[in-house]
Structure formats: structure tokens, C-alpha cells
Amino acid sequence: MAIAMLFEVQGLTPKQYDAAVREVGLPAPGQIFHLGGPMEGGWRVLEVRESQEAADAFYREKPEQALRSAGITDVQPKVFEVHNIVSA
């Protein structure tokens, strides 16, 4: 079952976000959707992955170093099952 992951990172700048995305290299295996944009005081990211297993496999690899390099540490996403995805 697909899952969504909502990250809200206080203090994150567009420059840090762009650097992390470049280093990680999106789209990544198992990724259905990625969206990033500003929020008050930081940055918000919404990702949809094919499954929890796909997310776990992805986050065991390269992203940890990419996030650390961009100054993003100790971010715990809100995770929920996806019931429906509609795209134009």
C-alpha cells in the first residue's frame, strides 16, 4: 500500500532544500510523488512512496548524507496510508 510522508522542517531554506534534492537525485526508486514548498519559518515536503518498504529502502541509503550536508537533521515525518491519488 502506498504511503505519504509529510516533512515540516523549521529553519530550512530554499537553497538547502535545492541542494538536498540535487544530491539525492529525484525521482528516486519507489517514489510516486514529491512536492516541496515554503511554510512559515521553514520548508514543507510531501512525498508519496509505493510502500513503507520502498520508503525504508530509500532512506537507508543516500538521503541521510544529503540531508546532513544540507543542514537537515532529526526530522521525523508524519506518515499515513494513501487511499487515493488523483492527478490532472
Side-chain angles (χ1 to χ4, degrees):
M1 170 166 290
I3 63 160
M5 304 172 76
L6 177 63
F7 298 84
E8 294 181 316
V9 187
Q10 290 295 322
L12 188 66
T13 67
K15 185 176 180 179
Q16 290 171 301
Y17 167 79
D18 290 341
V21 167
R22 272 192 308 278
E23 190 170 338
V24 168
L26 300 180
Q31 181 179 357
I32 296 171
F33 180 83
H34 176 97
L35 174 140
M39 66 179 203
E40 188 171 328
W43 206 257
R44 182 175 288 131
V45 174
L46 177 64
E47 291 193 344
V48 178
R49 301 278 171 178
E50 293 173 350
S51 65
Q52 183 65 57
E53 293 77 19
D56 292 345
F58 175 71
Y59 284 101
R60 272 194 302 268
E61 310 260 331
K62 190 173 183 178
E64 184 176 335
Q65 178 57 41
L67 296 176
R68 197 171 313 141
S69 295
I72 306 166
T73 58
D74 195 34
V75 178
Q76 296 299 315
K78 295 176 184 172
V79 179
F80 54 96
E81 292 181 353
V82 173
H83 176 74
N84 191 21
I85 299 173
V86 177
S87 179

